[in-house]
Amino acid sequence: MTTNESKKVVEEEYSRAMLGVLVERIKEIRKAKKLTQKQLAELMGVNQPEIARIERGESAPNLSTLYKFLFAVDARLEIIY
């Protein structure tokens, strides 16, 4: 495996791990707010299957969807470096 291939594998693993963290936080926040997937979907203006796919890690939320989620649950995104 070349250095570039190794770097790509590491980047893909990191992306999967970060998605996993994001998915878990979305589920935790929804449940803490005592919202069903359907209720959250209605607040976000999306359909419930989309929420289910995100929570199962089958679909990564795009920035627009993430913004809708944050607005719906009155939360904020904080990036720490």
Side-chain angles (χ1 to χ4, degrees), residues 16-74:
R16 275 194 289 278
M18 292 306 295
L19 177 58
V21 170
L22 179 61
V23 164
E24 285 306 310
R25 289 298 295 149
I26 287 172
K27 284 193 283 192
E28 288 172 6
I29 293 168
R30 176 182 61 78
K31 290 177 180 181
K33 297 284 185 171
K34 297 182 179 1
L35 295 170
T36 65
Q37 288 181 350
K38 183 177 181 182
Q39 290 169 325
L40 176 59
E42 288 171 359
L43 289 171
M44 291 174 58
V46 300
N47 59 35
Q48 181 274 329
E50 183 174 353
I51 302 299
R53 283 190 299 276
I54 291 169
E55 288 191 359
R56 287 192 305 266
E58 295 173 1
S59 174
N62 61 31
L63 287 177
S64 175
T65 302
L66 186 55
Y67 177 78
K68 289 175 187 178
F69 169 77
L70 294 170
F71 187 78
V73 298
D74 191 28

Side-chain angles (χ1 to χ4, degrees), residues 4 24 32 49 75 77:
N4 285 340
E24 285 306 310
L77 176 64

Side-chain angles (χ1 to χ4, degrees), residues 4-17:
N4 285 340
E5 290 170 333
S6 295
K7 185 177 178 181
K8 185 175 180 178
V9 168
V10 169
E11 289 172 353
E12 288 171 357
E13 278 298 313
Y14 181 76
S15 292
R16 275 194 289 278

